[in-house]
């Protein structure tokens, strides 16, 4: 195998790798969009849950990120 063949093979490999990297970057952007959408849905569900708990108990409770549960205010 000559030096020219090796260089062409290396360049071909780099081009293929670049295509794969671009494809994976696109997939990651799509996954991030989906995660953001799911995060918004979870926030809306937490809000509905807090409102329902407040109506049923009469006490003001709030879900917090720190303890993952509810605490009275």
């Amino acid at each position: 195998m000559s030096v020219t063949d090796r260089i062409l093979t290396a360049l071909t490999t780099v081009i293929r790798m670049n295509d794969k990297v671009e494809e994976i970057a696109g997939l990651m952007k799509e996954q991030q969009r989906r995660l953001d959408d799911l995060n918004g849905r979870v926030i809306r569900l937490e809000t509905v849950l807090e409102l329902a708990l407040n109506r049923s108990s009469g006490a003001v409770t709030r879900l917090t990120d720190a303890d993952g549960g509810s605490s009275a205010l």
Side-chain angles (χ1 to χ4, degrees):
M1 191 180 241
S2 69
V3 174
T4 306
D5 289 337
R6 288 183 183 176
I7 291 173
L8 289 176
T9 302
L11 288 174
T12 303
T13 303
V14 168
I15 290 170
R16 287 181 186 157
M17 288 173 46
N18 185 50
D19 290 342
K20 289 180 182 180
V21 167
E22 288 176 357
E23 180 183 349
I24 291 172
L27 292 172
M28 286 180 63
K29 286 180 183 180
E30 177 65 22
Q31 288 298 322
Q32 184 62 46
R33 186 195 61 76
R34 289 180 183 178
L35 283 172
D36 291 341
D37 181 52
L38 287 173
N39 190 34
R41 293 174 72 182
V42 168
I43 289 170
R44 288 191 297 274
L45 287 171
E46 287 176 340
T47 302
V48 169
L49 178 62
E50 286 180 15
L51 290 172
L53 289 173
N54 286 340
R55 286 184 184 173
S56 66
S57 68
V60 177
T61 57
R62 181 176 179 165
L63 297 176
T64 62
D65 288 338
D67 60 5
S70 62
S71 59
L73 293 177

